[in-house]
Amino acid sequence: MSDAPRVLIVEDDASIAQFVAASLSASGLLPSSVATAGEALAALARPPQLLVVDLGLPDMDGVDLIAQVRSVWSGPILVLSARTQEAQKIAALDAGADDYLTKPFSVGELLARVRAMLRRAATGPVQLPLLRVGALVLDREAHQLQRDGVALHLTPIEFRLFERLAQVPGKVVTHRQLLADVWGSDQVDQLQYLRIYMGHLRAKIEADPAQPRYLLTELGLGYRLADE
Ligand code: CA
């Protein structure tokens, strides 16, 4: 039991903290809870395997907490946000959070996110030459994406866009992160580029571009590559 991953929950709403802790503990993890950002920073002296952070904390904005945490700790961070905190959610992802859940969420959603994050953290960034997702195979060395064994003809930007999402399968990448990494840091506001190229990419990859199976939209946030 002592080898079970430790999860630090930062949430000032006692009923949510308790719900999250009980769900994690029932699935074999070792949760502990603190109610303030100050306590969270102190608790990082004994680093957990995963951090769950509520964005609305009494002593500090959750986004600021994430930015501070990122200067000392690089493990996975899951954000809990209310529906009224859309802008903060994006800021939290840009500040270095890995994924998010919008309240109210179910035990199933919580555990699925947590499991995926712990799995990614255990295997490290995916940089193997070959990545397989469903019928897709990304061959990084050959600079090629195949579907059902047939090479797709992608433009350099389409390829970079897919490759950027494929660095973190299953994880949301924000619009700003994609624009900065594919087009350059001076292009982070050019949301229309991203929409246009994502449309092109879907037309080449998806069986039904209107109901994508691989390139998933995170409304108002960014995109994620399905991880299975
Ligand atoms: Ca709160």
Side-chain angles (χ1 to χ4, degrees):
M1 198 61 194
S2 59
D3 284 347
R6 285 180 300 106
V7 180
L8 178 62
I9 303 160
V10 193
E11 167 65 89
D12 59 317
D13 182 325
S15 62
I16 295 178
Q18 217 164 38
F19 166 76
V20 172
S23 310
L24 296 180
S25 141
S27 72
L29 305 175
L30 287 179
S32 58
S33 300
V34 294
T36 65
E39 290 172 279
L41 289 167
L44 282 179
R46 188 173 175 238
Q49 273 71 52
L50 181 91
L51 194 57
V52 177
V53 178
D54 171 41
L55 286 185
L57 295 170
D59 58 334
M60 191 190 290
D61 189 284
V63 176
D64 295 333
L65 171 62
I66 288 164
Q68 285 202 25
V69 166
R70 275 295 175 241
S71 63
V72 296
W73 184 75
S74 61
I77 300 177
L78 176 65
V79 163
L80 304 181
S81 74
R83 292 206 183 278
T84 51
Q85 294 172 317
E86 284 299 312
Q88 276 171 287
K89 195 156 79 181
I90 299 171
L93 291 166
D94 281 334
D98 295 276
D99 211 340
Y100 69 93
L101 280 173
T102 303
K103 299 173 185 176
F105 49 84
S106 69
V107 181
E109 289 175 288
L110 170 68
L111 294 180
R113 291 292 158 82
V114 165
R115 271 194 299 264
M117 293 174 83
L118 289 172
R119 194 173 61 229
R120 283 198 298 269
T123 54
V126 184
Q127 285 305 338
L128 298 171
L130 287 187
L131 171 78
R132 289 169 207 281
V133 183
L136 300 179
V137 175
L138 174 66
D139 185 338
R140 291 185 170 91
E141 277 171 8
H143 220 67
Q144 194 181 69
L145 181 65
Q146 301 179 353
R147 189 182 64 190
D148 294 317
V150 179
L152 300 171
H153 296 285
L154 302 185
T155 66
I157 284 188
E158 289 164 2
F159 187 82
R160 284 213 299 277
L161 190 52
F162 186 89
E163 200 180 30
R164 177 62 184 87
L165 291 167
Q167 284 173 5
V168 283
K171 179 181 156 181
V172 58
V173 184
T174 66
H175 296 135
R176 287 180 78 85
Q177 289 165 343
L178 286 169
L179 284 161
D181 293 347
V182 176
W183 281 269
S185 54
D186 53 338
Q187 306 290 318
V188 292
D189 295 320
Q190 305 297 326
L191 204 53
Q192 75 277 16
Y193 293 175
L194 188 52
R195 294 215 176 94
I196 290 168
Y197 278 88
M198 190 56 72
H200 294 168
L201 200 48
R202 278 179 171 151
K204 293 180 181 180
I205 288 175
E206 304 282 356
D208 179 0
Q211 298 197 340
R213 178 235 180 280
Y214 298 111
L215 298 167
L216 310 177
T217 296
E218 293 293 324
L219 217 55
L221 289 178
Y223 297 92
R224 87 169 83 208
L225 177 65
D227 61 350
E228 51 194 29

